[in-house]
Amino acid sequence: MTTPLASRRTRRAWRKALPALLLALAVAAPGAMAQDEHQVAAQLRLRELAQLAERNNPQARSLLLAEAASLTRNAPYPVQVAYLRLLRRIHSDAGQLGEAYAVDERLIKLAGAQGDHAQLALASLGRVHKRLNDNDPAAAMALLETLNGQYRELGNSEFEANAEVAYGAIYNTTGQHDLALGHYLRALELVQRFPELWSPREADLRLALARLYVNSGEAVKALESTRAYRQGRSGSDPMTPRVEALMHFMDGRAFVSLNQLPQAHAAFNRALVLARRHELRWIEANVLGNVSDAWLRGHNYVEAERAARSAVALSEQVADQSVIQMVYANLGFALFGQGRMAEGTVYIDRTAQELRKAGAMLAVSNILAEKSEALEKAGLHRQALATVREREKIQESLAIESRDKAFAALQEQFSAKQRAAQIERLRQENAVKDAEIRNRSLRTALASLGAVLALVLSGFVFMLYRRSQATGRRLAELNAELAHHSAHDPLTGLYNRRSFVERMRDQQPMGAGERQNDCFTLLDIDHFKRINDQHGHAAGDTVLVEVGRRLNEVVRESDMVLRWGGEEFLVYSQGVSDAQRPLLVQRILNAIAAAPVMLEDGTALQVSATAGAVSLAPGAGAPIGWEQAIALADRALYKGKEAGRNRGFIVEGVDSAPGQGNLDESRLRLQLVMPDVYWQPAS
């Protein structure tokens, strides 16, 4: 990290180097330029326009386009490159990404014709950012890996820094914030080591870091980062309007994350004033989208809708897919908040579909979570349940993917150690053979030496063998640990859905009279979202852990207790008669509601749950499969939710309508079970 003084020296060195840089951007360009009058005039004019662009982007853009012919006609190749790179920067700063990407293609064509690999590599990185802007991070990463392998050997510091920025942007988009941070910091180190680089600019990297901190939930760090950058600027080196607007914008996002909404709106308003004054339309679109998000946080859905609709036209004009998705998602949730569920669903489902295409499954999961909560609040329990199920599938696939990656890393680590041991043994053996060839005349001495070496090698091999055994034992322990984690919920320590499904599949098909008394009790903690909203997610985790502990204490050792997903739990009990079933459900409800849950801050939190229970032969009817039993228990649970919560319903029978065999369309005969310790949860 450089000091403010070093930063100011760096910027002064950059301003002095600007004239030469504008003519020497193509480092690998062959030949030297003839210093004629046209070339010198073009150099001076480009310098003036570059300085103007930092103060007034629209005016600089207009002049640069108007003077294109006079600046580039019969100009040497380096001047043409300097013109196009300045034009690309001005378009990008104005949020005109389509025009910026078009300039990249002109640079690729020009540099390719000249055989200038450095400029070809730099311009090709624009294609990476275009794919990322088109919401296709997988394609962006594939192209970036290809370009990095093709051009990294050039040793071009500007390409290396911009490649690091591209990696950081891709990982930030896909939610891999630790990886993104490493790449951004390496880019910043290169920029500070080589201050003469045309790009990336230090201010843009500071903004990227602040954006990353906000996205990763470290809003305080984001505010500290922007504050430190402002304090490091001297009066003679003020921030450009674009950078100042973006700094206020990032402050606003950080304040939203901290739920300091008045401060957030104040920061957003400062950013909007600058963006509109200097025609920075893509910044204006971003700010309006986040203003909508701030209004959503404050439950002001009318203002949230107004801000989102204002941002729609601007976001589509600048064609930034990430902004478009944010705006449409906020618009959907603003409509939800006003009870306009059908209208809101169109925008939210569109956003989820686009994110799914891009492979951003974590973002899809977050949107589905908000959607399910809104649907439940609106009383649309069936649609809410379907959305929860969809989100659980995504979370399960993400967990499996994470586990598989961890296992592959362990296997690779073990294989690498084995290969290293084999290489070391081969090296030792080759050394012995070479010694024998060089010293044939000393056979007698070598015989003694060979015996000693053999003894040493035996000890060495034995040591490697012992080390290999220890590594094998450690790998077995890690495999056992992975197996445990794959079968248990990491928060509560209960079994998870995966282990339950495997147990059901491993059971033999049920014969007549077998396992008909198996009981499935599905539970859902009442008003769990309110607990998270009022007391925080740490309190919610405490409640989940305590409910899991109480369930384990109240059931038999042969029963299986698992976290079914979110705030839902499942108790699987074998050999429970019809008479015992209500007692089991009541005992479970009593265990949860009997005593309050004590939070870390000393708050006593009253908790209850709603249950639905069913056997594999409800009402002595035809046996059903466990999947159907879970579905029936789920229906009974939601009947309990609708009836007021803190109660249970047992499915005593299933009545099918004539000609209908589908259990989902059947009418249930239910038995109500109330806890001994009953209290009515607030609605």
Side-chain angles (χ1 to χ4, degrees):
M1 184 70 70
T2 59
T3 64
L5 178 59
S7 278
R8 290 195 290 273
R9 289 174 177 169
T10 293
R11 290 190 287 271
R12 285 196 294 270
W14 154 244
R15 289 196 296 271
K16 292 178 181 178
L18 181 61
L21 176 63
L22 288 170
L23 294 178
L25 286 171
V27 175
M33 298 180 296
Q35 297 295 324
D36 56 18
E37 292 183 2
H38 174 78
Q39 177 176 325
V40 173
Q43 169 189 351
L44 294 175
R45 184 55 177 159
L46 287 173
R47 177 188 178 185
E48 292 173 358
L49 292 175
Q51 293 173 341
L52 176 63
E54 296 297 329
R55 303 188 308 273
N56 190 325
N57 182 285
Q59 184 181 0
R61 184 169 69 252
S62 176
L63 291 173
L64 191 63
L65 292 173
E67 299 176 23
S70 62
L71 287 172
T72 60
R73 184 187 298 116
N74 300 323
Y77 167 71
V79 174
Q80 296 181 50
V81 169
Y83 171 83
L84 289 176
R85 296 197 70 186
L86 179 57
L87 180 61
R88 197 248 187 246
R89 170 178 287 184
I90 289 176
H91 280 318
S92 179
D93 286 353
Q96 298 176 329
L97 300 181
E99 288 84 349
Y101 298 143
V103 175
D104 286 327
E105 296 303 319
R106 292 172 63 185
L107 277 165
I108 289 172
K109 182 177 180 181
L110 179 62
Q114 292 289 328
D116 185 349
H117 296 294
Q119 291 302 324
L120 185 60
L122 286 165
S124 297
L125 288 174
R127 292 177 172 175
V128 174
H129 290 285
K130 183 179 186 302
R131 283 162 172 75
L132 188 59
N133 183 61
D134 291 338
N135 207 15
D136 194 351
M141 178 61 79
L143 177 58
L144 180 56
E145 289 288 337
T146 299
L147 294 175
N148 202 29
Q150 186 175 358
Y151 295 116
R152 193 164 187 85
E153 296 302 321
L154 291 175
N156 185 286
S157 300
E158 187 172 2
F159 173 77
E160 291 179 16
N162 280 282
E164 295 289 357
V165 170
Y167 276 117
I170 293 171
Y171 284 128
N172 191 14
T173 299
T174 55
Q176 301 177 74
H177 300 123
D178 289 343
L179 294 175
L181 178 61
H183 287 289
Y184 280 144
L185 290 178
R186 282 192 287 275
L188 183 60
E189 180 185 355
L190 285 169
V191 168
Q192 291 174 341
R193 191 191 314 164
F194 303 104
E196 71 279 3
L197 294 182
W198 170 257
S199 67
R201 290 168 288 188
E202 183 176 351
D204 293 334
L205 284 171
R206 299 289 184 183
L207 287 166
L209 285 169
R211 185 183 308 112
L212 174 64
Y213 287 138
V214 172
N215 292 345
S216 60
E218 298 183 273
V220 174
K221 279 191 177 180
L223 291 171
E224 291 173 352
S225 177
T226 56
R227 187 182 305 115
Y229 185 73
R230 291 190 186 97
Q231 292 173 350
R233 310 293 292 189
S234 64
S236 60
D237 190 20
M239 285 187 290
T240 65
R242 178 186 67 89
V243 172
E244 186 177 1
L246 287 173
M247 287 288 176
H248 289 308
F249 169 57
M250 294 312 304
D251 286 346
R253 286 191 58 193
F255 283 128
V256 169
S257 297
L258 295 171
N259 207 31
Q260 299 177 14
L261 300 183
Q263 296 92 323
H265 284 297
F268 286 146
N269 286 336
R270 287 191 289 271
L272 279 174
V273 169
L274 286 166
R276 288 165 177 166
R277 180 186 303 161
H278 298 279
E279 300 181 30
L280 303 172
R281 302 198 181 282
W282 72 276
I283 297 179
E284 184 180 356
N286 265 283
V287 175
L288 285 172
N290 281 269
V291 168
S292 173
D293 184 63
W295 287 124
L296 285 175
R297 294 288 186 98
H299 306 294
N300 190 332
Y301 302 111
V302 174
E303 289 297 333
E305 179 189 0
R306 183 178 292 112
R309 291 194 184 280
S310 299
V312 165
L314 280 172
S315 62
E316 291 182 342
Q317 180 181 344
V318 300
D320 189 329
Q321 291 299 319
S322 62
V323 179
I324 292 172
Q325 290 165 16
M326 172 189 65
V327 168
Y328 277 117
N330 287 345
L331 179 56
F333 287 118
L335 294 170
F336 269 12
Q338 299 175 62
R340 297 153 67 182
M341 311 304 291
E343 294 178 66
T345 299
V346 172
Y347 294 107
I348 293 171
D349 289 349
R350 166 181 171 172
T351 302
Q353 182 179 5
E354 292 299 322
L355 290 171
R356 197 185 298 271
K357 287 180 183 178
M361 301 308 294
L362 182 60
V364 175
S365 175
N366 292 334
I367 284 183
L368 291 179
E370 294 186 47
K371 180 183 177 183
S372 65
E373 292 174 3
L375 290 171
E376 183 178 6
K377 186 182 294 185
L380 302 174
H381 299 293
R382 185 179 295 274
Q383 295 93 318
L385 178 60
T387 304
V388 168
R389 295 289 181 260
E390 182 182 0
R391 179 174 180 258
E392 287 174 352
K393 290 180 181 178
I394 293 174
Q395 288 181 312
E396 185 174 352
S397 66
L398 290 173
I400 292 173
E401 180 182 355
S402 176
R403 187 205 64 183
D404 290 344
K405 287 181 178 179
F407 184 78
L410 286 172
Q411 290 285 18
E412 176 60 26
Q413 181 182 6
F414 179 72
S415 299
K417 289 181 178 179
Q418 282 190 321
R419 288 194 298 269
Q422 291 171 352
I423 291 170
E424 181 63 20
R425 286 197 296 270
L426 288 173
R427 191 185 68 80
Q428 293 286 344
E429 292 170 0
N430 288 336
V432 173
K433 290 178 181 179
D434 290 343
E436 290 176 349
I437 293 173
R438 288 193 303 267
N439 300 289
R440 291 183 182 275
S441 61
L442 303 176
R443 292 181 182 275
T444 303
L446 284 176
S448 301
L449 181 60
V452 174
L453 286 174
L455 184 61
V456 172
L457 285 174
S458 297
F460 181 77
V461 171
F462 177 75
M463 182 180 66
L464 289 179
Y465 172 74
R466 291 291 300 274
R467 187 174 298 173
S468 177
Q469 281 187 321
T471 303
R473 287 193 297 271
R474 177 57 179 158
L475 183 60
E477 293 171 358
L478 291 173
N479 284 335
E481 186 175 329
L482 283 173
H484 174 82
H485 288 313
S486 68
H488 291 77
D489 176 58
L491 176 64
T492 63
L494 301 177
Y495 288 103
N496 59 20
R497 182 195 293 249
R498 178 189 181 91
S499 62
F500 172 78
V501 171
E502 290 176 353
R503 177 172 175 175
M504 293 295 102
R505 289 174 179 169
D506 291 341
Q507 288 183 343
Q508 296 297 323
M510 184 173 64
E514 295 179 359
R515 297 204 316 278
Q516 294 186 12
N517 286 331
D518 286 6
C519 178
F520 300 83
T521 305
L522 190 63
L523 302 109
D524 186 278
I525 299 175
D526 295 329
H527 295 302
F528 184 75
K529 180 180 181 298
R530 182 179 300 164
I531 294 172
N532 277 335
D533 290 344
Q534 293 180 355
H535 302 280
H537 290 280
D541 290 348
T542 299
V543 170
L544 291 173
V545 172
E546 177 62 17
V547 169
R549 186 190 66 79
R550 295 181 182 183
L551 289 174
N552 261 332
E553 286 185 350
V554 79
V555 301
R556 304 170 303 182
E557 289 186 0
S558 60
D559 294 345
M560 183 179 188
V561 181
L562 59 135
R563 185 179 178 191
W564 190 244
E567 63 269 26
E568 287 188 335
F569 297 81
L570 178 68
V571 179
Y572 170 55
S573 310
Q574 294 179 307
V576 180
S577 67
D578 292 344
Q580 294 169 332
R581 201 168 296 121
L583 299 176
L584 171 63
V585 174
Q586 188 179 53
R587 191 165 67 249
I588 289 173
L589 294 175
N590 286 341
I592 295 174
V597 175
M598 301 304 298
L599 304 183
E600 290 184 357
D601 60 0
T603 301
L605 188 63
Q606 191 69 47
V607 176
S608 66
T610 304
V614 68
S615 69
L616 289 178
I624 60 177
W626 67 267
E627 298 98 330
Q628 294 171 310
I630 295 295
L632 290 176
D634 196 52
R635 289 179 59 188
L637 186 154
Y638 269 86
K639 288 292 184 183
K641 291 287 188 182
E642 293 173 353
R645 295 179 170 82
N646 193 15
R647 65 197 64 208
F649 277 112
I650 300 174
V651 180
E652 292 189 321
V654 181
D655 296 329
S656 300
Q660 292 182 345
N662 187 354
L663 290 178
D664 290 338
E665 304 296 331
S666 303
R667 186 172 62 84
L668 305 182
R669 297 196 304 277
L670 301 173
Q671 175 185 357
L672 173 64
V673 177
M674 297 296 292
D676 290 333
V677 180
Y678 178 76
W679 59 278
Q680 178 66 43
S683 58

